[in-house]
Amino acid sequence: MEAYRREDILRLIREEDVQFIRMQFTDLFGQLKNVAVTASQIQRALDGEIMLDGSSIQGSVRVEESDQYLKPDPNTFAILPWRPQYGKVARMICSVHNPDGSPFDGDPRNVLKRELKAVKDMGLTLNVGPELEFFLFLTDEDGNPSTRTADKAGYFDLGPLDHGESTRREVTLALEKMGIAVEASHHEAAAGQHEIDLKYADALTAADNIMTLKLAVKTLAQKNGLHATFMPKPLRDAAGNGMHINFSLFQNGRNVFYDENDPEKLSLLARQFIAGLLEHAQGFCALANPLVNSYKRMVAGYEAPCCLTWSSANRSALIRIPVPRGQGTRVELRSPDPACNPYLTLAACLAAGLDGIRRELAPPPEIAGNLYNMPPEELAARQIRNLPASLEDALRAMEEDPVVMKALGPYAVRYLEGKRQEWEEYKKQISQWELDQYLVAW
Ligand code: GLU
Ligand code: MG
């Protein structure tokens, strides 16, 4: 992304007839928020003087300490292509600050920035390439979302079977206009399911881009009369939505996950990073898979991981090493889903990887076979651990993982609190499945 100075932004606002600036940020639970200011307020906005009532944001501050400030990152200035092209709307992504000017600990973007400082101090840059999956569903006559689709297409199919190609095209063009490079987009395995892959970027930009991609998909789908959902598992008998994250570490422009002398061309650093991810995968699961529904995706048979293993090729593993080497060498983490807060998830994954590097952990041997078909005795004999089976288990694992808790900082407890409430609410529900199974039989 270009580096904008204050005068560039003022000029763009004038030349492009921008009338509104959306000051955006993300709450602890991953919801994008914004306040629109008129162009006349741009100086105040750039000076970080736009305020919000933090006590109205989920997981944020209490009423007695509610005034907070939005400090925009000028490099994120972009015109929203889907808004009117006269009296245009631009956005800037902001960090939330306390009245004394210090960064607010409960702002996920600040959490990621803090963790990125650790990697920078090691002379490294973390690059992240996300792949987001989602469904496009029909809406009913009142415009409400359904889980129906008229699309009958599967993996890599095209029109007329594929009913989402126009939406994918519009999203891709909109993102490119905003300076976000899209690498590929395609129909996914399930009917009505799609994927958009972003070109790798530094971790902070990647997290910003994920939030923008989700907004673009939802907005443009709605314009086309469709409902887009990143819900991890909307349909019982179809694949769920994953958000695979490709990680690589660079030093002075060189990919340090690559080692040409290693038989598998993977560096020691890459192996330590993998070991760190495996070590903390249970601990960061409540972040990467934040919903009750997330755990319904991670079951055998749909290319989503259940076990803590790594492999060069196998898509049932938690971590896969895609074929490219050299500058393209990367570690693909397959557990996250697109409902996660990308800032917190990346911060926790980075802390996990760095812990692997600092403690010089070695990953277990890689497992090439299909884990979905492996009998439980064999999994046990090979000491293969599982991902948590529910949000409740994941929250416990997070609380017991000091590395993840430290990466999140003081607001980790608010996250746990909010998510535990969600679990308690869910626990009280009686599902259709229970009624079908038990109402007559018992
Ligand atoms: N949809 C699968 C998941 O839930 C992933 C499919 C793929 O390999 O792209 O993670
Ligand atoms: Mg996919």
Side-chain angles (χ1 to χ4, degrees):
M1 205 168 272
E2 291 176 55
Y4 286 133
R5 290 161 308 164
R6 175 181 281 254
E7 50 272 34
D8 296 327
I9 291 178
L10 298 179
R11 183 179 41 79
L12 279 168
I13 288 177
R14 254 191 338 266
E15 285 176 8
E16 295 280 342
D17 179 29
V18 172
Q19 295 294 340
F20 300 94
I21 296 105
R22 304 269 192 107
M23 305 287 279
Q24 293 183 344
F25 60 100
T26 299
D27 78 12
L28 201 61
F29 302 103
Q31 281 297 343
L32 189 63
K33 299 278 173 184
N34 81 177
V35 55
V37 299
T38 50
S40 63
Q41 301 302 306
I42 186 62
Q43 301 280 5
R44 281 183 61 228
L46 288 169
D47 288 338
E49 286 176 17
I50 306 298
M51 286 173 70
L52 75 140
D53 167 9
S55 69
S56 299
I57 304 291
Q58 244 208 324
S60 192
V61 286
R62 288 184 293 270
V63 190
E64 326 76 91
E65 50 190 18
S66 53
D67 281 350
Q68 294 183 309
Y69 290 86
L70 293 172
K71 199 171 159 208
D73 180 341
N75 283 337
T76 63
F77 181 90
I79 293 168
L80 300 179
W82 52 83
R83 298 298 296 152
Q85 292 309 294
Y86 61 93
K88 292 180 189 170
V89 182
R91 72 95 201 266
M92 285 192 283
I93 299 178
C94 306
S95 296
V96 181
H97 283 244
N98 299 313
D100 68 3
S102 59
F104 169 52
D105 285 331
D107 171 19
R109 204 166 186 267
N110 288 337
V111 170
L112 178 56
K113 279 197 204 162
R114 199 177 47 221
E115 196 57 41
L116 286 171
K117 196 173 168 311
V119 78
K120 195 167 172 228
D121 290 346
M122 293 164 87
L124 298 167
T125 310
L126 177 71
N127 280 329
V128 168
E131 307 170 11
L132 281 88
E133 296 174 337
F134 56 93
F135 278 88
L136 292 176
F137 287 131
L138 297 170
T139 50
D140 66 17
E141 52 282 7
D142 298 324
N144 291 319
S146 75
T147 50
R148 288 179 299 111
T149 170
D151 170 305
K152 300 234 174 346
Y155 186 66
F156 272 33
D157 274 339
L158 55 160
L161 283 178
D162 168 9
H163 289 206
E165 58 185 11
S166 297
T167 302
R168 291 202 312 272
R169 167 193 150 84
E170 286 164 27
V171 171
T172 304
L173 292 176
L175 292 178
E176 295 268 350
K177 263 200 183 140
M178 296 176 77
I180 300 173
V182 173
E183 264 193 353
S185 66
H186 61 86
H187 199 286
E188 249 300 342
Q193 194 187 27
H194 306 271
E195 174 170 326
I196 298 182
D197 304 336
L198 297 181
K199 183 176 160 52
Y200 74 80
D202 69 90
L204 188 65
T205 306
D208 288 342
N209 291 349
I210 289 169
M211 295 309 294
T212 307
L213 166 57
K214 290 206 280 186
L215 178 66
V217 168
K218 288 208 164 251
T219 308
L220 291 164
Q222 195 179 48
K223 277 195 193 288
N224 291 334
L226 296 166
H227 175 75
T229 184
F230 293 91
M231 178 178 174
K233 185 83 173 179
L235 302 170
R236 193 193 65 184
D237 297 317
N241 290 324
M243 186 181 84
H244 302 160
I245 308 181
N246 294 277
F247 292 106
S248 54
L249 282 173
F250 276 63
Q251 189 164 39
N252 303 324
R254 201 175 56 82
N255 186 335
V256 289
F257 275 1
Y258 176 62
D259 178 359
E260 60 178 357
N261 298 319
D262 179 80
E264 292 174 62
K265 313 263 180 249
L266 272 186
S267 70
L268 182 64
L269 209 70
R271 289 173 197 278
Q272 291 170 343
F273 195 90
I274 293 169
L277 285 175
L278 286 169
E279 172 97 349
H280 297 287
Q282 293 172 325
F284 64 68
C285 195
L287 298 164
N289 306 94
L291 308 183
V292 166
N293 180 256
S294 297
Y295 296 82
K296 304 199 168 165
R297 164 178 163 254
M298 295 191 291
V299 295
Y302 296 99
E303 296 190 309
C306 323
C307 303
L308 302 183
T309 62
W310 73 290
S311 155
S312 323
N314 178 2
R315 283 183 158 76
S316 62
L318 174 74
I319 293 170
R320 191 176 76 92
I321 314 299
V323 174
R325 289 295 188 270
Q327 289 292 82
T329 313
R330 57 189 185 267
V331 168
E332 176 188 293
L333 179 69
R334 295 176 62 81
S335 56
D337 66 56
C340 74
N341 180 326
Y343 301 97
L344 299 183
T345 302
L346 291 180
C349 289
L350 176 56
L354 292 185
D355 187 50
I357 293 175
R358 287 198 191 102
R359 287 165 58 203
E360 300 180 1
L361 298 179
E366 69 171 287
I367 303 220
N370 184 347
L371 296 155
Y372 298 150
N373 302 333
M374 207 173 274
E377 315 79 67
E378 190 176 341
L379 291 172
R382 292 181 176 220
Q383 295 184 316
I384 297 176
R385 292 176 302 145
N386 286 326
L387 280 165
S390 67
L391 182 60
E392 185 187 34
D393 291 354
L395 292 169
R396 199 174 313 113
M398 176 175 152
E399 197 169 37
E400 287 168 2
D401 188 325
V403 170
V404 171
M405 290 297 281
K406 181 159 175 276
L408 250 68
Y411 276 74
V413 286
R414 286 285 174 87
Y415 186 86
L416 290 172
E417 221 173 75
K419 286 291 161 187
R420 285 213 163 105
Q421 270 171 18
E422 191 172 328
W423 176 258
E424 290 305 319
E425 190 51 37
Y426 170 70
K427 245 173 46 182
K428 289 186 260 172
Q429 305 304 319
I430 315 294
S431 65
Q432 191 57 47
W433 183 87
E434 286 164 277
L435 293 173
D436 292 345
Q437 293 288 314
Y438 309 133
L439 190 62
V440 174
W442 296 96

